[in-house]
Amino acid sequence: MRATVMYSAGDVRIENVPDPQIIEPTDAVIRVTRACVCGSDLWPYQKMEHIETGRVMGHEAIGVVEDVGADVRTIKRGDFVIMPFAFSDGTCTFCHDGLQTSCIHGGFFGTIEVAGAQAEAVRIPLADGTLFAVGAHADDALMASLLTLSDVMGTGHHAAIIAKVTPGKSVAVVGDGAVGLCGVIAAKRLGAEQIIILGRHADRIALAKDFGATDVVSERGDAAVERVRELTGGYGVHSVLECVGLEQAMNTAISIACPGGAVGRVGVPQEQTIPGSEPAFYNNVTVGGGPAPVRAYIEDLLPDVLEGNIEPGRVFDRTVGLDGVPDGYRAMNDREAIKVMVKP
């Protein structure tokens, strides 16, 4: 089959690789009908050192089950499924607590060990605990939004949950990428009254406003902090969704939270330490977050997608076949595209 293979920073190729096979009796194989490039894929695209064997990329997909192992019980051939970015057994103590990204037998797609889904097909470890079967093949118009449930919509929702977004409260979203935009959707869905988007790209800001953002802050650093405080009576917001992962973004997030507020951090951190510990401490700001257990959120979010109450699929502004994936990486890295969808 054909798949996306990254060898080093900037070196993305479409190559023929072995077809995925059932290895463990708990595995499944799905034919990928939609995949995408994630903002977190841009970190290795910018920084990855050379790997001789390459790395099959991609951790977000929807598709149709083509084969299942002997021990798979709840997933069957022909099912249309959502593939979360992490695989999990669904039975360990952390899975029972709704934290599938910490499954003691789990892991992540698109690593050296487990091939990714920017490909024609992909092997799914622990299929019963990982895959979410949608009752019927959804309308084609819904495919993009269903795909977001594999990562970015669930991740934006996770940031909102960790940041304690509740009805009538104020929220700031740091970052206008796909996750930040989905964070705006999540904040609106959870009843936030004021939603401030921190970003500076006109197309993304327009989409954020459509999704429910009430205010826009395009400044950065101290100027951004000052502007958010102006918009909130000088106090800051109750909840901050940090969707970038860089030091400046985290410092801004903590600085714009009001005393007693909360920051939900879902941007993959690029530093070893958490910035802003002193202001967080003295203002009693709660800081939490991590890889979103999107498998736990699908059941809650899916009805709103199917009924058209939310349209997170609008974050996809470019669609490519497999041959177009390398240019899709470039376009996202150069901020020419918000998020690229792949139709193998």
Side-chain angles (χ1 to χ4, degrees):
M1 70 167 188
R2 301 169 75 232
T4 303
V5 185
M6 185 180 294
Y7 285 89
S8 63
D11 186 1
V12 179
R13 313 176 197 174
I14 306 303
E15 297 187 336
N16 288 315
V17 301
D19 291 344
Q21 305 287 335
I22 299 296
I23 297 174
E24 301 292 338
T26 50
D27 288 349
V29 172
I30 69 169
R31 173 173 52 83
V32 176
T33 57
R34 300 286 192 285
C36 52
V37 181
C38 183
S40 62
D41 292 332
L42 298 182
W43 297 123
Y45 183 73
Q46 295 168 1
K47 300 178 180 180
M48 191 173 100
E49 295 184 2
H50 181 75
I51 300 173
E52 195 64 33
T53 57
R55 171 177 157 191
V56 178
M57 299 295 293
H59 53 258
E60 304 155 276
I62 54 177
V64 178
V65 177
E66 291 202 324
D67 197 8
V68 295
D71 292 345
V72 176
R73 298 286 178 260
T74 62
I75 298 297
K76 62 184 185 300
R77 291 179 180 86
D79 280 349
F80 175 65
V81 293
I82 299 168
M83 183 201 90
F85 67 84
F87 58 90
S88 54
D89 61 19
T91 61
C92 80
T93 183
F94 300 113
C95 288
H96 279 304
D97 288 342
L99 197 60
Q100 286 90 338
T101 44
S102 293
C103 175
I104 59 175
H105 300 117
F108 300 92
F109 292 99
T111 63
I112 296 297
E113 295 79 17
V114 180
Q118 290 166 11
E120 293 177 328
V122 61
R123 180 179 74 92
I124 311 295
L126 304 172
D128 282 332
T130 300
L131 296 174
F132 189 100
V134 180
H137 286 265
D139 185 275
D140 192 66
L142 291 174
M143 290 297 177
S145 287
L146 290 172
L147 179 57
T148 68
L149 298 182
S150 68
D151 187 347
V152 289
M153 185 61 228
T155 296
H157 179 71
H158 185 57
I161 294 296
I162 296 298
K164 305 177 184 178
V165 175
T166 52
K169 299 297 186 178
S170 57
V171 177
V173 179
V174 180
D176 58 7
V179 171
L181 293 169
C182 287
V184 173
I185 295 175
K188 178 72 172 179
R189 182 176 176 273
L190 292 171
E193 182 174 306
Q194 183 182 30
I195 304 172
I196 304 169
I197 179 75
L198 279 72
R200 47 180 30 179
H201 299 88
D203 54 342
R204 302 171 187 221
I205 295 305
L207 195 52
K209 289 179 177 178
D210 283 350
F211 286 160
T214 58
D215 300 280
V216 177
V217 171
S218 295
E219 295 87 348
R220 289 184 177 176
D222 292 342
V225 174
E226 182 179 349
R227 180 64 182 140
V228 171
R229 292 190 178 278
E230 288 175 0
L231 292 168
T232 55
Y235 298 117
V237 295
H238 300 100
S239 303
V240 185
L241 284 55
E242 194 283 299
C243 306
V244 179
L246 296 175
E247 180 178 6
Q248 183 186 69
M250 194 62 197
N251 273 323
T252 297
I254 289 172
S255 298
I256 62 179
C258 69
V263 176
R265 58 194 301 251
V266 294
V268 178
Q270 300 303 299
E271 283 81 28
Q272 293 296 311
T273 58
I274 299 178
S277 61
E278 186 173 302
F281 177 82
Y282 283 107
N283 284 315
N284 280 280
V285 172
T286 300
V287 179
V294 298
R295 181 62 176 78
Y297 297 135
I298 294 175
E299 190 169 0
D300 184 30
L301 296 170
L302 181 61
D304 278 345
V305 167
L306 294 177
E307 293 165 16
N309 296 327
I310 59 174
E311 297 181 279
R314 293 176 64 193
V315 299
F316 293 106
D317 56 349
R318 184 174 299 196
T319 301
V320 299
L322 276 177
D323 287 334
V325 173
D327 190 61
Y329 271 83
R330 182 207 56 77
M332 285 182 60
N333 191 62
D334 293 346
R335 299 297 187 267
E336 292 178 8
I338 301 172
K339 191 166 179 68
V340 173
M341 182 160 61
V342 181
K343 293 177 69 173

